[in-house]
Amino acid sequence: MNPTAAHLSVPLTTTAHHRARQFALEQTTPAKAKQVYVNTLAVWAVQQWLNWLQIPTDWEQSNSWHPGMRALMDVADLVLPQLGRLECRPVMAKDTEITVPPTPYSDLIGYVAVQFDNDLSDVKLVGFIPVRNVASENLPLTALRPLETLLESISNRETQTTTPVHLSRWRQQVFDSSWQTVAQVLGTSPSLSVRQFLVRRAKPMRLKTAVSTESVALIVTLIPASETQLGIHLQVCPLEAQTSLPPNLQLRVLTGTGSLFRQVTAKDADTFIQFEFTGELGEQFQVELVWQDAYITELFTI
């Protein structure tokens, strides 16, 4: 057995079918019962694979375990504690597309395609696609990436720091060593529309994929607003010999709970991207840099 093969076969045991039958019998129509049956088997198979790899899962905290959510939605999610969740989407033997219905999850990592044979004796995990690369509800199976891509994404999430950067400390000139002056990081200070500011710091970041690495700097500028609010100006610039940012690099601002607040995407030949907003003192937010399959997340407290 090779748990990271491109098409990994997972046998469907009697235990898996028993669980799927239990959930299906709760439904009010044959069509809904069939949907819940295959969704349950898909989640079971992905959980089994992750268990082989000793990656913790918590199905009972997933919406696909909840009777009401199963009845109301086309749901096949699996929670990975502290990391997020996967949607385990069933694909029938003759299908050429994977259907990815809209989901309400702010912590969704992506979609795993689970392909069934005709007699439901086993399934094949045929690939993964990150949620940020999904542009429509129907995607060709050729758009899927190898399962190793999912394992890399999980590994990246495991290594991301959860310790917030306390911006209030910056006002007292207290900085973590990873946050340097802009001149230290870039050798010069880029022109900004922001002229009046309290403090400005930069951090070099490397976005590494399987085939290449892009180096950029995240610049955070604090702007006076009011006694209870602080202006935050974010800018991403290229590092080293680069003269422009890699196309489609995304600067994403998320709430403290992970909901997307704003996204800015670099176009061809952009020398920087930026976004400015105002936050309340004590409020948390996240900044995520995304390029292809690589991403870096920073958590901030205002």
Side-chain angles (χ1 to χ4, degrees), residues 3 8-12 16 38-59 62 64 76-80 85-91 98 109-116 122-128 147 150-151 154:
L8 172 72
S9 180
V10 180
L12 296 175
V38 295
N39 282 357
T40 303
L41 291 178
V43 176
W44 186 93
V46 173
Q47 178 184 243
Q48 185 71 13
W49 172 57
L50 294 174
N51 286 346
W52 291 340
L53 299 175
Q54 298 184 330
I55 296 174
T57 62
D58 192 344
W59 194 358
S62 310
S64 59
D77 67 317
L78 178 64
V79 167
L80 279 56
R85 70 181 75 212
L86 298 170
E87 266 285 324
C88 314
R89 300 312 309 173
V91 179
I98 175 176
I109 300 170
Y111 301 85
V112 181
V114 182
Q115 191 168 53
F116 288 78
D122 66 4
V123 294
K124 291 182 175 64
L125 308 187
V126 297
F128 166 76
L147 294 176
L150 169 57
L151 300 182
I154 291 173

Side-chain angles (χ1 to χ4, degrees), residues 214 238 242-246 268-271:
E214 292 287 345
Q242 302 162 244
T243 57
S244 61
L245 292 170
D268 290 342
D270 272 353
T271 57

Side-chain angles (χ1 to χ4, degrees), residues 47-295:
Q47 178 184 243
Q48 185 71 13
W49 172 57
L50 294 174
N51 286 346
W52 291 340
L53 299 175
Q54 298 184 330
I55 296 174
T57 62
D58 192 344
W59 194 358
E60 294 187 10
Q61 295 302 313
S62 310
N63 283 338
S64 59
W65 189 271
H66 189 279
M69 298 302 292
R70 286 196 302 269
L72 292 172
M73 300 174 62
D74 179 7
V75 60
D77 67 317
L78 178 64
V79 167
L80 279 56
Q82 310 301 317
L83 299 177
R85 70 181 75 212
L86 298 170
E87 266 285 324
C88 314
R89 300 312 309 173
V91 179
M92 297 300 109
K94 294 182 179 180
D95 289 348
T96 60
E97 293 183 328
I98 175 176
T99 300
V100 288
T103 66
Y105 315 131
S106 61
D107 60 348
L108 184 61
I109 300 170
Y111 301 85
V112 181
V114 182
Q115 191 168 53
F116 288 78
D117 62 11
N118 291 325
D119 63 1
L120 303 186
S121 62
D122 66 4
V123 294
K124 291 182 175 64
L125 308 187
V126 297
F128 166 76
I129 187 164
V131 63
R132 59 182 172 270
N133 296 118
V134 175
S136 67
E137 293 187 17
N138 295 294
L139 300 171
L141 293 180
T142 54
L144 295 171
R145 290 138 188 234
L147 294 176
E148 285 86 348
T149 305
L150 169 57
L151 300 182
E152 291 169 2
S153 181
I154 291 173
S155 178
N156 286 339
R157 286 174 178 258
E158 288 174 335
T159 57
Q160 294 290 334
T161 178
T162 57
T163 302
V165 178
H166 291 276
L167 296 178
S168 59
R169 297 177 185 171
W170 287 17
R171 301 172 73 172
Q172 281 76 50
Q173 301 298 305
V174 178
F175 309 101
D176 182 273
S177 60
S178 60
W179 289 94
Q180 306 169 47
T181 66
V182 176
Q184 286 174 319
V185 175
L186 297 179
T188 183
S189 294
S191 60
L192 290 178
S193 58
V194 179
R195 294 291 176 248
Q196 183 184 10
F197 63 89
L198 299 171
V199 65
R200 178 182 295 160
R201 285 278 153 161
K203 185 174 183 178
M205 295 183 171
R206 292 185 180 273
L207 294 156
K208 185 177 181 180
T209 70
V211 295
S212 62
T213 301
E214 292 287 345
S215 298
V216 299
L218 172 64
I219 302 173
V220 179
T221 303
L222 305 186
I223 306 164
S226 70
E227 291 185 0
T228 60
Q229 294 181 322
L230 193 63
I232 312 292
H233 186 282
L234 305 172
Q235 186 177 44
V236 182
C237 301
L239 271 181
E240 299 174 350
Q242 302 162 244
T243 57
S244 61
L245 292 170
N248 299 317
L249 171 72
Q250 297 175 352
L251 166 63
R252 308 176 79 217
V253 181
L254 300 91
T255 67
T257 58
S259 299
L260 182 63
F261 175 60
R262 179 65 185 270
Q263 176 177 301
V264 182
T265 302
K267 301 180 179 63
D268 290 342
D270 272 353
T271 57
F272 65 89
I273 53 177
Q274 61 186 354
F275 176 61
E276 186 176 318
F277 64 100
T278 301
E280 299 285 339
L281 297 182
E283 185 178 8
Q284 284 197 336
F285 67 94
Q286 301 175 50
V287 174
E288 190 173 67
L289 300 185
V290 180
W291 181 63
Q292 297 183 15
D293 295 327
Y295 72 94

